[in-house]
Every structure is written in C-alpha cells, then in structure tokens.
Amino acid sequence: MAVKKLSKDKVKEALQELTKFRLIAPAKSDEVVIFKQIENPDEAYLEYGNSTVPPKRVVFPQTETLFRFLRGSPELKEKDVEEEGTTVIFGLRPCDARAMAIVDRLFSWDYEDPYYLKRRQLTTLVGLACVEPPSVNCFCTSLGGSPFGTEGLDILLTDMGDHYLVQALTEKGEKLQETLSAHLEDAPAGDEKKAEELAAAAEGKIARSINTEGIPEKLPTLWEHELWKKVSAACLGCGICTFLCPTCHCFDIQDEVEETGEGRRARMWDSCMFSEYTLHASGHNPRPTRRERTRNRISHKYSYYPKRFEVIACVGCGRCINLCPVNIDILEILEQVVDAS
Amino acid sequence: MVDIEKLREIAREIISRDDVRQLIGYRQGTYGFRARPAFVTDPGEVDKLIFSPACVNNLATYITLEERLPVPRGQEPDLRKVAVMVKGCDSRALVQQMEEKAYERERILVLGIPCTGVVDMDKVEKRFPGVLARGEIVLEGDKFLLTYDGKEEEVAKGELLADKCTRCRYPTPLVYDQLLDEEVARFADDDYADVEALEKRSAEEKWAYWEEKFSRCIRCYSCRNVCPMCYCEDCVLDRLNPQWMRRSVDVSENTAYHIARAYHLAGRCIQCGECQRVCPVDIPLMELNRKFYKDVEELYDYEPGTNAEAPPLLSTFKVDDREDFIM
Amino acid sequence: MKNPYIPYEVKIEEAWYETPGDRCIKTFKVTFADEKVWDDWSHLPGQCAMVGIPGVGESMFCISSSPTEKGYLRFSIMKMGKNTSALHELEAGDSFYVRGPLGNNFPLEEWKGKNVITIGGGIGQAPLRPVIQWIRDNRDDFGELTVIYGARTSADHCFKPEFEDLGSCGDACCHLAVDVEEEGWPHFVGFVPTLLMEVSPSPENAIAVTCGPPIMIKFVLENLEKLGFAPEQVYTTLENRMKCGIGKCGRCNVGHLYVCKDGPVFSYSQLKEIPEAFA
Ligand SMILES: Cc1cc2nc3c(=O)[nH]c(=O)nc-3n(C[C@H](O)[C@H](O)[C@H](O)COP(=O)(O)OP(=O)(O)OC[C@H]3O[C@@H](n4cnc5c(N)ncnc54)[C@H](O)[C@@H]3O)c2cc1C
Ligand code: SF4
Ligand code: FES
C-alpha cells in the first residue's frame, strides 16, 4: 500500500481538509488531553503523550440515545447513527485502536449492536505511533501490541521529525489518503527503514511487562484466594479504572422524560466497580464488597473475555495505573496471580 | 520528621493488641515517587510502613468506606478498633466524622503525624517525568530531597508542595491517641486569595469557566468516593427511585452533580483536597469547596472538623445567626 | 437484522393478581399490537423478555406461557421496584413493551421420553409453568410429570386454578406446600426441599428442574444429589441484574457466562464449574 509523507507545516491544512468530515482529534484543556470534535485545526494537540479519556468515547459515547418517544404515543424513533456522518479520528495511539478491535468482538458477538457497529463502519482511524512510550506504565508489548502497532488502524502516522510518515493500512485508509493527496508528498527513500528502527527502539523503551501465559486459566482457580482482599483493600470503588480503560465497555440503560413528555431511552457507561452495578431490586447484591468487584474486573479482562473472544481485554495502555488515586496497579495484581499458589 | 523505625515499633505494638483489628498507614507505591495506603493486620507486615511527603492520601476515608455486611448467624460482630495514621488535615476529617456521629471515638485509634507538608504528585511527576524505579522524597529544611535511579536532587519546597499545604492552619492533628513526632506549629495561613479572585468575576465569566470544567467531568465519582465526608451508605446520586439526578453525562447533569456535591459539603468540607487531587480530568473542585468554607467561616465563625464536641453547623440554629443571604 | 434494543408494543388482554401483599404478583396476558410480529416471533420454555414502559425502564421476565399456547404471551410479575410497580398499574386494554425472546431455553427436545420433576418456590414457578404446559401439550413425548411447589402461605401460591386442574386431570402428580401451618390446608407443611425428600422421586430416566429463591435452590440441589440425581440431570435458572439482555452491557455475568445470553437456563453440571454462580 502507498507510503506518503505529510510535512509538519502541512498538518493544519490537512486537518482543515478533514473537517469536511466529523473530525476528532486530541485537544488540550488545562493539562488534560481528551479526544473531541474539532472545527479548527488549531485545536488539535498532536504533541501529546496519551489522552486521559480514551477515544473509545467516540465510537462508544459515554451517553447515547437508543430511541426517542413521546409519552402516550406508541411510536419509538430509533436513533440514526448514520446522521453523524463519516468520522475521522486523527492521531490516536496504537493501543487505543487495538482496544477498539478487541471491543468489536463483543459488540458483534451473537446480537449485533447496531449503534456501535454502524459508528465503527463510519469511522476511519488515523493512528500516531509512539516514538516515545507516553508513560512509564505502558506495557502494550506484553499483550501483543506495540508502540507502532497497526491492529485496528486504517492509517499509521510516524513522527519523523519534520514530517510524518503516512502508511495506509486498509482500504479505508487508502481512501482517506486519497482525500488528503493534495497535502501529501512521496515519502523520502529510507523513511520506512528508519521507521522500523524507531519502532524497535520504542519497543525497547517499554519498561514494564507481564507474562500473561497461563493467567486466563489460572484466575478461576484463585477464586477464594486471600490476594483479592489484599489488592482491593485500598480501592475507593470509583470508576476511574473502568471509565478510562479503552477496552471497558459496560453500560447502563436509563429512560429520561422531559416535562413536555418527550423522552429517550439512553445508555451510558457503567462500571463494575460501582456497588449498585449488580444490585438486585430485592436488595441482594451478589458482589457485596470491593473484593468481589476487583476480582471481577481483573477476571473479566484476563479470563472471561479471552475465554469467549480469544483475546485479553487489556491493551497495556497503563491508564488505570497512572490515574488510580490509591495506586492500585494491575501489573502488581497480575504478578500476584502468577505467584499465587 | 517522623522516625520510620519508631513508627514501625509503635505500629507493631498496636497491631499486636487484641482489641485492634487493623492499622491503616502508608507504604511505598508500585512505581516512581508514589506512596499508597497500607492495611496492616499482622505484626509481620509493619516493616512496609512509611511516612514521607509522598503520603498524600487521606486515610480517614477508609474508616467510613468499609462495607458493613450483615454478621452471619452464630457469629459475633468484630468490634475491634481500627488504627489509622493521619496528618493534620486528615485528622480534621476524623473530627468531623465524629462530630456527625458517624461512629464512636472508641472505634478508632489515631496515630497523629505532625505534618510539614506533602507534595503535589502531579508537580513531582511533571518535574521528574519517566521515573519508574521507586524513588524517595524527604523534606530537609526548605527543600525536598528526591532520590531515584541512583540520583539525588534538591527542589525548593514551594515548587513541589501541595497547594493545600501552603494555607494549612492545622499541621498537627487535632485528634490522636499517640503523636508520632513533636508538634508542628502553624506555618501558614489562609488568606482566601484564590476564592476572592473567583468572587470578583462576573456571573457570565463564572458560568463560562465552570461550564468548560464540568463539561469534562466523566462522573467517575472518585471525588465523591475519596471524600471522607461523603459516607452516606445510600447516596442520593445512586438512587433510581426516585431519581434525583440522571446518570446521563452532559454539562447540565454534571453541573447538577457538582452543585449537589458542593452543597452537601458546605460546613463539612475539611479541606484535605482529596477530591481535586484524584479528579482524572483536573476539575478544580476545591475552588467550590473553599468558597463555601470561606462563607461558613465568615458567616458563622465556624471551621468544620476542629471540634468533635461541637454540633454540626447545619444542624444547629442560633438566634443571632445571620440571615441577610437568604433571598 | 432488527435492532435488538427496540421493543414491540403489546396490548394487555387480561390481567389478574396471583398473590396479595407488598410484593404481589400480577399476571399479564398480552398480544402484539401489530399482529405481524407474530410471524417473526418464536420462543421456547425458559426464554425471557425485557418488559417495560418507555419513560420508566425495562426489566427481565421469563415468558410464563408455553409456545403451545397460541396467540398470546404471559408474564407473571412481582412488584419489586420502579418498573415493576409501574407495570402493576396497568390493566386490560393498556399496553407495554416487550423485547425478545432472549436467552436460552430448557432443552425439552433432549428430555423426550424422560420423567420430569419440577421443583418451584414462590415466583420461581413462573419459568416452570411453560415447561409444565409444554409437556401437557405434548403429553405422549414425556414420561411421568411430578410437580412440587411451595410458597410461604397458600395465598402466596401462583397459578392456583391450574394446579387444581393439573392434579385432577391426571397429567401430573402435584405436591403443594406452605411454609407454616394454616387452617384448612390439606397438603404438606414445611419447606420445598423437605417436601422433595418426602416425595423422593427416582433419578432413573429423570430430569429435575428447579427455580425459586436462592436459598431454596441451594437445599434442593443438595437433596437432589442425595436422591441420586447426577448434575447433568438437574437444571435451574439464574437471576442477575440485567440491562441489555443481549450479552453486551456486561453486568449479568457469572464467571465467563452471560446469564442473559448463555442462560438463564443452566444444568447443575455447568454451574458447578463456576464459583460465582450461587453468589
Ligand atoms: C432471567 C430472569 C428472569 C426473571 N423472571 C422474572 C419473572 O418471571 N417474574 C418476576 O417477577 N421477576 C423476574 N425476574 C426478576 C425481575 O427482573 C426483577 O424483579 C426486576 O428487574 C425488578 O425491576 P424493577 O425495575 O421493579 O426494580 P428496580 O429496583 O427499580 O431496578 C432497576 C433495574 O435494575 C434491573 N434489576 C434490578 N433487579 C433485578 C433482578 N433481580 N433481575 C434482573 N434485573 C434486575 C432491572 O433492569 C430493573 O429495571 C427475573 C430476572 C431474571 C434475571
Ligand atoms: S473525580 Fe472528576 S471526573 Fe470524576 S466525578 Fe469527580 S469531577 Fe467528575
Ligand atoms: S444483561 Fe447485559 S450482558 Fe447480560
């Protein structure tokens, strides 16, 4: 597939071109980087490490309407995702794209989730390779990913200093490259080789790791192990680790009605770390404490998900480690799982 | 400076007592300069306990956070004490909890840490990015000394100090059974300069400011959960029937959440700053809490968490209470 | 493919209370507002549906009628919270919304030629009712049918007229129980697991199905084991909080299984492998 170059002084005009689609890019407010729709190329902030909130919120919005209704009228009006139009996520990290590829399996398993899948179909992912790992807690290479990983991406951009190397990876990517052709030039000879070297160097800089072999099978055998009590003792039961995880995908469904009688059924991110997540109407809670909830979070990612979908639901982005207010560290938990007997 | 050996010795004694179930303190974090809560139930574990300016967490939260499960039939409830390490600000959370009768004084054993200030970990990690191996921070005079990766660096105290410490009125715990060091005299005071700056803005400016901040909120509720004063067993935010607040996340619901949160903390927030510290999207929650704090102090000459005997502010009425703010 | 989040409107043909009290149970006999839906609809005993009212919410209920009962669906709903309370307000002529059928079913095809014992408690009879009805409507395909059912008092018994009919027509052997002594009660007094031991069905060529409160299920399973039933001969249903009903929202899992999709029907041999199953 075609390999091109995007000169850094042409990034803005390329982004401008892309605003004819729904263009999503990392943007900075205060010190926080979040993916959001941008109208003006100046809003895009590409010199970032990784975003606090992962770009999953674009394809799986934190709150989204399923259908609308008017109280008293039998008609239900399905939300039409198509209206959102063609979307380009520009500059996401390879781990976050890989996360989407992983979550695709859940949303297309058995019943197809029309909202998510339609949006995925409408979305082109332009990745930005991690020449420098964004955080000390990155461990993508332990999970089959890499700072230059391409899984899930349509285009990979590599920062070569004064320009980006632009590699189309899929048909969708080629189409987008076509759209951008006025702003692209032929890639300098040797760029691809240099990118490979950068990739190898970046992989070498990933400092944390875990050997996942055997963990999916071992986890269910440690059900009553004392480690769960220990690793969850400090847990606050907040939603940081799950909401900010690029593979976490659990949601709640709620109805909302305005005084006018207009209403909607909507879904919104939910977290297995919240106490009411599994609470029965009777008051019984099968996961009554943070111990059971932590055990479920880890088991879901590292055992249940691979058992059904043949891939661990973790990409090693390190967000849950970096942002946990009490320094609960998933790698430490996994090490304890490996060592436990 | 807390002598770590002495701390461990005291901890060992305490955890060996028959009437103590667990001790909550600090230990080294899993990477970099971080420290984290430690839950000690066995004398063999006390050697991991530490105290340093990296020990930012307010451990008072854990006293009310623990789930109270029904005691299985035939078993006795475990009434043993929980021992907890607290800095000056954290101790005020205990005082306020007890003022509100969240639990009885006998339930806890307080190890007070006279505190000379903790770091703002964001500032530390910004200044020393990419530190994976475990590092240490100590305060030497007016400098923090950071040791990591075989290196040693000095940074002026003010550069890394947490904002809350720059205006701390109570560095020595207000409640304790045992003090781990000499008392620390007040080294700062609060002039509310930040709140006054906020007050001076026009309503439109304030609205625009908070709208942008609240639009970022992802309603992870870490600000609620970390708060030692947010300990209702059944929070109105979680209730579905009746539903006081929608679970959908948008500026209007987020604003409603933050207003509810701030109001529920009026006259109760003890300024440990944990909500703002944990917020993953950096919403300056303390600006709201501090506005209330200032109002409460000015209107009622009341500082939450300073007197366990005093009745909670909002449950009392005095004939001479000011009313001029009531519309 | 149809959007699995969009429910069908149903009209209530008849509605009646099965039991009284704070947690009363009301049965709704409904038919689709749009008759054409019947052309796409097919369900089997054990399957469930999301039932609700736009503006209030949705909850999961088993379809308590057998597909052999044509032209209508039945739901028996205990008043528990927001949505069930709103549903209880509805009467004949009103409508609500149904999304389904969801989940798996009792493998009645595999049970052909066998004796079937159903063991139910309280509202737990709701998923067993279609099993019983299916067997009655395909009577020659099955061996003996033994129905064991209990509730706190006789007033708390669901489907009373049907039990009378069932016992008298000889389709099944019925054993009823109340937890505590009451005047004029001619049948067993005590808990369902004890009644099970009293009836003491033979495990030979038999299948046992049990639904009810978790504590009852626990003892029924133990007693079935004592009676010599192998785990593969025993079936039950699980209940967890649900939202999507289609294996997406995540909350209903026990271990790696989604109760909404892989269940609610499980054999005891399946559940024995899952430590969380009886939490
Ligand atoms: C597979 C299955 C079959 C069921 N069959 C029946 C039946 O035939 N008859 C009957 O009376 N009840 C049945 N239930 C239980 C019924 O779903 C709950 O009692 C009901 O959801 C309570 O709803 P609510 O809105 O009134 O409660 P609220 O407390 O208002 O709960 C809000 C929401 O949480 C979810 N929820 C809460 N508790 C439960 C629960 N126990 N199970 C599932 N979701 C829950 C629902 O989505 C509910 O709408 C079944 C549950 C499951 C999982
Ligand atoms: S911690 Fe921050 S993001 Fe989370 S609920 Fe509070 S303000 Fe919102
Ligand atoms: S109810 Fe959503 S996954 Fe089962």
Side-chain angles (χ1 to χ4, degrees):
Chain A
M1 294 212 175
V3 180
K4 294 279 176 188
K5 140 180 175 177
L6 172 62
S7 169
K8 281 207 176 155
D9 51 27
K10 289 192 174 152
V11 169
K12 280 198 182 149
E13 58 184 67
L15 286 172
Q16 189 63 52
E17 179 89 48
L18 293 177
T19 55
K20 67 181 179 206
F21 307 121
R22 187 166 77 114
L23 175 61
I24 313 282
K28 196 173 170 196
S29 5
D30 298 334
E31 291 296 304
V32 187
V33 178
I34 296 179
F35 277 85
K36 63 177 200 188
Q37 183 166 2
I38 63 166
E39 314 279 348
N40 174 347
D42 290 330
E43 291 174 73
Y45 178 65
L46 296 175
E47 307 298 314
Y48 77 120
N50 205 355
S51 62
T52 301
V53 185
K56 78 170 175 188
R57 77 200 292 255
V58 180
V59 287
F60 175 47
Q62 181 156 15
T63 305
E64 78 172 303
T65 303
L66 300 175
F67 58 82
R68 296 189 177 277
F69 53 83
L70 188 64
R71 200 165 31 205
S73 147
E75 197 197 338
L76 308 178
K77 196 164 173 297
E78 187 179 332
K79 152 103 199 199
D80 184 6
V81 175
E82 199 87 46
E83 283 170 5
E84 290 172 6
T86 308
T87 299
V88 176
I89 306 183
F90 193 90
L92 78 168
R93 293 299 180 186
C95 56
D96 288 340
R98 183 160 180 266
M100 289 188 203
I102 290 174
V103 176
D104 287 351
R105 304 188 192 199
L106 178 277
F107 281 115
S108 53
W109 169 68
D110 199 74
Y111 287 93
E112 292 185 345
D113 188 286
Y115 308 92
Y116 176 89
L117 294 176
K118 180 87 237 171
R119 214 174 267 119
R120 280 289 277 136
Q121 210 185 330
L122 289 169
T123 305
T124 304
L125 301 182
V126 182
L128 182 59
C130 299
V131 176
E132 285 295 328
S135 115
V136 290
N137 291 314
C138 289
F139 59 105
C140 58
T141 42
S142 296
L143 289 142
S146 123
F148 278 59
T150 55
E151 192 180 347
L153 285 174
D154 299 302
I155 289 181
L156 181 69
L157 303 178
T158 305
D159 190 337
M160 308 298 287
D162 63 348
H163 69 275
Y164 292 105
L165 179 67
V166 184
Q167 291 166 289
L169 304 159
T170 62
E171 243 173 71
K172 253 191 200 171
E174 288 209 318
K175 239 176 100 190
L176 196 77
Q177 211 179 46
E178 196 59 36
T179 312
L180 288 174
S181 54
H183 317 284
L184 301 178
E185 299 154 67
D186 285 337
D191 246 23
E192 275 181 276
K193 187 155 178 299
K194 204 171 141 211
E196 274 168 35
E197 286 163 15
L198 285 172
E203 280 198 23
K205 288 183 212 160
I206 299 283
R208 297 196 68 178
S209 65
I210 181 80
N211 180 358
T212 60
E213 213 185 299
I215 291 181
E217 299 73 27
K218 189 167 182 190
L219 269 167
T221 69
L222 300 175
W223 196 251
E224 293 297 344
H225 199 279
E226 60 168 5
L227 81 90
W228 298 118
K229 175 100 193 149
K230 290 206 162 8
V231 300
S232 64
C235 176
L236 298 168
C238 78
I240 288 185
C241 53
T242 48
F243 280 6
L244 299 182
C245 172
T247 68
C248 274
H249 51 264
C250 291
F251 59 86
D252 188 11
I253 298 179
Q254 295 276 327
D255 288 10
E256 298 177 346
V257 197
E258 308 304 327
E259 271 156 29
T260 57
E262 286 165 297
R264 64 165 178 171
R265 182 160 290 165
R267 69 170 166 201
M268 54 281 295
W269 293 355
D270 203 348
S271 169
C272 61
M273 303 308 288
F274 291 161
S275 58
E276 74 284 359
Y277 181 73
T278 49
L279 182 67
H280 290 199
S282 63
H284 172 68
N285 195 336
R287 293 191 201 123
T289 75
R290 291 161 290 148
R291 167 182 171 269
E292 292 82 31
R293 291 172 211 139
T294 305
R295 181 174 63 192
N296 181 71
R297 177 169 83 90
I298 305 295
S299 299
H300 187 207
K301 294 192 163 309
Y302 277 82
S303 179
Y304 310 155
Y305 206 87
K307 185 154 182 170
R308 186 175 299 267
F309 299 116
E310 276 140 20
V311 61
I312 290 174
C314 169
V315 291
C317 72
R319 283 187 181 88
C320 60
I321 308 178
N322 289 324
L323 294 161
C324 176
V326 296
N327 188 212
I328 290 175
D329 186 321
I330 192 166
L331 287 175
E332 190 192 48
I333 298 178
L334 292 170
E335 275 156 21
Q336 290 189 29
V337 167
V338 171
D339 293 342
S341 50
Chain B
M1 269 280 290
V2 174
D3 174 353
I4 302 296
E5 283 319 310
K6 184 173 146 207
L7 158 68
R8 291 176 183 167
E9 200 177 300
I10 294 172
R12 187 169 301 129
E13 242 167 66
I14 289 178
I15 202 61
S16 308
R17 282 167 53 170
D18 288 340
D19 64 338
V20 175
R21 174 162 60 92
Q22 91 172 335
L23 183 146
I24 310 173
Y26 300 94
R27 60 175 165 142
Q28 183 77 41
T30 61
Y31 68 95
F33 297 104
R34 301 231 177 170
R36 55 176 158 166
F39 297 80
V40 172
T41 51
D42 182 297
E45 297 168 315
V46 300
D47 286 333
K48 66 185 179 196
L49 290 173
I50 59 162
F51 186 78
S52 79
C55 297
V56 292
N57 305 64
N58 181 350
L59 304 178
T61 292
Y62 291 106
I63 307 287
T64 48
L65 186 75
E66 202 174 12
E67 298 88 356
R68 275 182 258 165
L69 295 181
V71 182
R73 218 179 295 172
Q75 274 180 32
E76 289 293 310
D78 190 341
L79 298 173
R80 289 175 299 164
K81 292 176 202 284
V82 172
V84 60
M85 275 167 69
V86 288
K87 305 182 286 286
C89 51
D90 310 337
S91 80
R92 294 178 57 192
L94 297 177
V95 172
Q96 184 66 20
Q97 288 168 346
M98 289 188 281
E99 185 177 310
E100 296 173 5
K101 309 265 183 280
Y103 49 83
E104 298 295 317
R105 175 71 178 85
E106 304 81 69
R107 260 198 59 209
I108 58 169
L109 230 163
V110 185
L111 289 181
I113 305 158
C115 175
T116 43
V118 294
V119 296
D120 178 333
M121 205 44 84
D122 287 343
K123 290 182 190 162
V124 173
E125 287 175 357
K126 199 163 177 192
R127 176 87 181 239
F128 301 94
V131 179
L132 177 60
R134 289 169 177 181
E136 249 184 53
I137 309 178
V138 292
L139 183 70
E140 304 232 318
D142 57 359
K143 289 196 179 75
F144 285 118
L145 194 65
L146 294 93
T147 328
Y148 66 99
D149 283 341
K151 282 177 263 191
E152 231 183 55
E153 301 232 17
E154 277 183 0
V155 183
K157 186 176 176 186
E159 282 177 48
L160 301 180
L161 194 65
D163 286 350
K164 64 171 178 180
C165 303
T166 64
R167 43 181 183 245
C168 173
R169 289 174 178 166
Y170 303 95
T172 299
L174 296 178
V175 60
Y176 55 83
D177 293 282
Q178 211 163 344
L179 217 48
L180 292 172
D181 199 2
E182 298 291 300
E183 287 196 20
V184 173
R186 181 180 292 192
F187 55 82
D189 198 8
D190 198 344
D191 59 4
Y192 295 115
D194 55 334
V195 185
E196 275 160 17
L198 197 79
E199 284 167 346
K200 283 199 195 93
R201 287 187 227 177
S202 69
E204 292 75 40
E205 280 172 323
K206 284 185 209 161
W207 183 250
Y209 177 80
W210 287 110
E211 193 174 33
E212 192 278 316
K213 309 284 180 211
F214 292 158
S215 71
R216 300 206 290 251
C217 175
I218 55 165
R219 301 269 286 281
C220 65
Y221 292 151
S222 60
C223 49
R224 175 191 69 179
N225 291 18
V226 80
C227 177
M229 301 326 303
C230 279
Y231 58 81
C232 294
E233 248 173 78
D234 182 13
C235 174
V236 291
L237 301 176
D238 296 334
R239 210 169 293 165
L240 294 179
N241 199 17
Q243 191 171 34
W244 297 103
M245 198 163 302
R246 290 179 180 167
R247 296 194 77 182
S248 53
V249 175
D250 54 42
V251 183
S252 106
E253 294 302 315
N254 295 355
T255 305
Y257 164 57
H258 285 289
I259 291 175
R261 201 190 92 80
Y263 268 94
H264 284 192
L265 287 169
R268 304 178 61 237
C269 168
I270 50 81
Q271 300 220 55
C272 66
E274 282 288 83
C275 50
Q276 181 159 335
R277 176 183 73 84
V278 303
C279 178
V281 292
D282 290 2
I283 300 177
L285 296 162
M286 280 306 284
E287 289 179 9
L288 284 180
N289 296 341
R290 283 175 49 68
K291 165 69 178 146
F292 279 105
Y293 192 94
K294 173 169 173 278
D295 285 355
V296 161
E297 185 174 25
E298 286 172 0
L299 287 167
Y300 303 106
D301 192 25
Y302 175 90
E303 274 200 288
T306 51
N307 178 3
E309 307 306 318
L313 177 74
L314 294 184
S315 65
T316 55
F317 169 76
K318 288 194 208 126
V319 201
D320 59 349
D321 273 349
R322 285 176 55 179
E323 307 184 329
D324 48 340
F325 60 93
I326 297 173
M327 282 187 281
Chain C
M1 193 171 165
K2 187 187 176 296
N3 182 334
Y5 294 96
I6 307 287
Y8 301 114
E9 187 190 1
V10 297
K11 285 260 182 264
I12 304 175
E13 291 188 337
E14 268 180 82
W16 62 88
Y17 282 96
E18 299 282 351
T19 67
D22 286 349
R23 291 192 169 177
C24 47
I25 298 167
K26 193 169 181 178
T27 295
F28 298 91
K29 189 177 163 191
V30 302
T31 186
F32 291 109
D34 178 359
E35 266 175 37
K36 288 200 287 291
V37 177
W38 283 114
D39 300 339
D40 302 330
W41 181 276
S42 78
H43 80 274
L44 285 167
Q47 282 196 292
C48 297
M50 274 294 194
V51 173
I53 305 170
V56 181
E58 276 188 321
S59 340
M60 188 68 106
F61 300 97
C62 68
I63 304 166
S64 62
S65 53
S66 157
T68 50
E69 303 168 77
K70 300 279 181 210
Y72 62 88
L73 298 174
R74 275 175 59 157
F75 297 98
S76 293
I77 294 174
M78 185 186 267
K79 189 171 173 174
M80 292 297 291
K82 187 174 171 184
N83 185 40
T84 49
S85 300
L87 287 166
H88 269 229
E89 300 284 306
L90 304 179
E91 297 298 343
D94 293 338
S95 60
F96 58 79
Y97 287 76
V98 168
R99 181 157 79 78
L102 303 170
N104 69 352
N105 54 276
F106 292 107
L108 282 150
E109 278 302 310
E110 292 171 25
W111 298 354
K112 275 190 178 165
K114 299 194 187 218
N115 301 328
V116 177
I117 303 116
T118 72
I119 307 148
I123 184 69
Q125 195 64 17
L128 296 175
R129 188 190 170 276
V131 174
I132 294 167
Q133 199 57 43
W134 173 277
I135 293 176
R136 292 182 82 181
D137 292 332
N138 298 280
R139 199 62 199 87
D140 297 342
D141 289 348
F142 297 87
E144 281 171 30
L145 174 62
T146 307
V147 175
I148 299 174
Y149 179 55
R152 210 165 50 83
T153 70
S154 61
D156 298 313
H157 279 221
C158 292
F159 318 130
K160 268 181 288 264
E162 296 182 23
F163 279 113
E164 280 155 26
D165 178 49
L166 190 60
S168 57
C169 77
D171 272 352
C173 220
C174 275
H175 304 271
L176 301 179
V178 292
D179 291 355
V180 284
E181 200 95 42
E182 72 184 67
E183 224 185 283
W185 177 252
H187 308 289
F188 186 80
V189 177
F191 296 118
V192 168
T194 326
L195 176 57
L196 169 65
M197 293 316 268
E198 193 97 338
V199 175
S200 186
S202 159
E204 200 158 329
N205 193 36
I207 291 290
V209 204
T210 180
C211 300
I215 184 78
M216 180 202 99
I217 296 203
K218 179 170 176 267
F219 288 111
V220 166
L221 292 175
E222 276 178 30
N223 287 356
L224 284 169
E225 234 166 350
K226 282 186 206 148
L227 291 170
F229 282 78
E232 307 79 61
Q233 289 175 279
V234 178
Y235 287 80
T236 186
T237 58
L238 290 188
E239 176 178 336
N240 260 350
R241 187 177 172 115
M242 292 188 179
K243 285 289 171 180
C244 72
I246 55 173
K248 307 285 177 239
C249 79
R251 82 193 52 242
C252 69
N253 76 301
V254 287
H256 71 284
L257 300 171
Y258 291 108
V259 175
C260 68
K261 185 65 201 83
D262 304 316
V265 176
F266 296 97
S267 74
Y268 189 32
S269 53
Q270 258 178 307
L271 296 184
K272 278 196 131 168
E273 305 294 312
I274 315 260
E276 199 179 16
F278 298 107

